[in-house]
Each structure stands twice: as structure tokens, then as C-alpha cells.
Amino acid sequence: MGLQRHNIDPMEIDKFKPLASRWWDPNGELKALHDINPLRVRYIAERTDLTGKRVLDVGCGGGILSEALAARGAEVTGIDMGEAALWAARNHMQRSGLAIDYRRSTAEALSASAAAGFDVVVCFELLEHVPAPASVFDACARLAKPGGDLFFATLNRNLKSYLFAVIGAEYILGLVPRGTHAHRRFIKPSEMAAWGQTGGLRLEDLTGLHFNPLTKKYTLGGNLHVNYLAHFHKTG
Ligand code: SAH
């Protein structure tokens, strides 16, 4: 037994603990997630119908993305292993008047009871925080219904992403708290594409996510060198 077997790094969960009360501060430590949220929600909504669909948000944190998906008419389940994050998510949901099913679970554990249970599975900014990301990816693939869509967002692993996402974003620009990311855990798009093939998923799209330090604005498109989003379709 042990947390390792469940594919959790306790340090990664604890990292987000002190942020519990600040998940929803648009100018707090998690500002970057608020800033990119409209872009990533639009990306999902342009590629799949959300209305009335069963959507699973894996590693939902305080619910920034879950709420936006629910506001678009999706029936959302949010899972995370952080108690504090779930507390923040449930607390905020009540104020927003939304009904989201928040649960403390890993994707692997949920896939034992809810395989093929979701039209859409979203897993953003989580894969780079787990010891075995392929295992989470695989569980996401099992959780999606055949004909369903899956969306992932993470960081590419190369020298440029070290300079931009760790040194630049954490130490120079202060876009995310220092220590948020361990470069060795970043994932190459080619690695993710291979997991998709193994899991019976068809890769539909890969898109870069970029920050312009002059305009302080995020945009989608262009190269995949640092942050990127991926869309897969579960065939069959
Ligand atoms: N997906 C959200 C939050 C990303 S932060 C968003 O993009 O807005 C990463 C979250 O993953 C944290 O809330 C952390 O508690 C959670 N987490 C880390 N390891 C996990 C695991 N193995 N299973 C589920 N959640 C995990």
C-alpha cells in the first residue's frame, strides 16, 4: 500500500494546501489559472458540445475550470486528492449557485467504478505533478465513453521550457509560485501522443499556450515548446 501505489506525490498535494483560501483570488498566487481559464474553456467548447454532457475534471483544484464548464451547461464531476482544494471548490460552488459533484479521488481509483462514465474528460495542469503520468492518462482514457473527447494541458520538457516555465515564470516574472514545477516531470507531446495510441485514442489537435510579457496576455496557437493543450477522441 502507500500513496506511491496510488500514484500520488504527497509533496505535490501539500504544495497547494496553503493556497486553499486563495484559489478564487483572481490576483493571488493562482492568478495564471484564472487568466488562462477563458482560453482553455473556449478551446474545449469549440471542440465538443458541453450542454447536458457528463464532464469529469481530473485534478480540479479549487474548481476554476469545473465551474466554467458547469456554467456552460455541463454536468460536472470534479476530482482531486487535496482536501483543502476540495473545500475551496465546494465553498465557492455554493456561492456560485452551481451543482458540481466534487470528490476526493484519483483518476485511477474512479476508473475502477466509473469506466466509460463520461462524455468528456478534462485533465489540466495535473500530469506534471504526478509520479506516473501515463497511469493517470490511461485512467482518463478508460473513464471516457467510446465516442467521447479528452483534453489535457501540461508542459513540454526541453531546455526552453526549463528557461520559460521554471526560471522565467517562477523566478523572473513571478507568474506562478516558486517551486510549483519540477522540470523532470514535464511531458513531451510525442510521449503523450504515444500514450493516446496505447489507450485507443485518436489525437485530434495539439495547441501551444503562450504568455506575452509585454502585453501580459495569454494566447493559444503556435509552437508547443512550453505550455500546450491536447485534444483526443476516443474511438470505437
Ligand atoms: N486542474 C486545475 C488545478 C491544477 S493544480 C486547473 O487547471 O485549474 C493541480 C491539482 O492537482 C492540485 O489541486 C492538486 O491537489 C491535484 N493533484 C495532484 N496530484 C493528484 C493526483 N494524483 N490525483 C488527483 N489530483 C491531484
Side-chain angles (χ1 to χ4, degrees), residues 7-8 13 16 23 33 40 59 61 80-81 124-126 130:
N7 193 22
I8 298 162
I13 307 291
F16 291 92
W23 271 100
L33 291 179
R40 53 193 198 167
D80 200 284
M81 284 308 287
F124 283 3
E125 321 301 338
L126 165 66
V130 297

Side-chain angles (χ1 to χ4, degrees), residues 132-152:
S135 157
V136 174
F137 187 99
D138 209 54
C140 289
R142 287 196 302 278
L143 284 156
K145 290 180 187 171
D149 289 288
L150 297 98
F151 297 89
F152 297 90

Side-chain angles (χ1 to χ4, degrees), residues 2 12 20 24 31-32 43 45 51 65 90 99 124 138 145 156 192:
E12 289 285 357
W24 284 92
K31 175 175 169 38
Y43 179 81
T51 319
L65 182 63
R90 290 188 183 115
F124 283 3
D138 209 54
K145 290 180 187 171
N156 198 346
M192 195 189 284

